[in-house]
Amino acid sequence: MGDKVIRTYLNFNSYDFRHRKVMEILSSKPRNKTELVVNAVLHYISCPEAADEFSKETMKRQIREVIQEMLADGSLTGLAAPPAAHEQTPENADDLSDMMAAFRGG
């Protein structure tokens, strides 16, 4: 009995940067596309961190780590603390409404 070939068709979204990157990679590999996809899927399934690679929390953690490393080695200096939030009080709310009225011409 011969090997049975199973065909699968993939649809990529050209508006998704990840899909575009994969399309570029597959387009540059005229042969062995199947092996590339097989290896990628098996790695994704066997590596729990791969599924979380682009999550918001993972990205935040990575950015924090990079900033801390840059602060530690001195390559990032002069970071100012974010400005304190301006407190809204009844007095400055009136000032703001007066200012907005002036802009509206009233």
Side-chain angles (χ1 to χ4, degrees):
M1 216 189 307
D3 291 335
K4 182 177 179 181
V5 175
I6 301 171
R7 294 195 181 271
T8 299
Y9 298 93
L10 303 172
N11 294 313
F12 293 98
N13 178 350
S14 63
Y15 295 109
D16 186 323
F17 76 94
R18 299 167 307 138
H19 289 224
R20 283 194 312 269
K21 184 64 179 173
V22 170
M23 288 187 308
E24 290 171 15
I25 292 167
L26 291 175
S27 295
S28 71
K29 306 279 185 203
R31 297 184 180 264
N32 299 323
K33 290 178 186 178
T34 301
E35 281 302 309
L36 184 62
V37 171
V38 166
N39 288 336
V41 170
L42 290 175
H43 172 71
Y44 183 83
I45 297 300
S46 66
C47 183
E49 297 85 31
D52 195 35
E53 187 174 10
F54 292 108
S55 75
K56 186 175 181 178
E57 289 306 313
T58 300
M59 296 296 282
K60 283 175 151 179
R61 182 178 38 78
Q62 290 174 346
I63 291 168
R64 279 190 209 103
E65 289 173 7
V66 168
I67 290 172
Q68 287 172 349
E69 288 172 9
M70 292 175 74
L71 287 170
D73 71 13
S75 61
L76 182 65
T77 59
L79 279 182
H86 187 66
E87 256 187 55
Q88 183 89 13
T89 64
E91 295 81 26
N92 65 17
D94 289 338
D95 293 342
L96 181 60
S97 64
D98 290 342
M99 187 184 313
M100 294 305 293
F103 278 113
R104 290 189 200 109

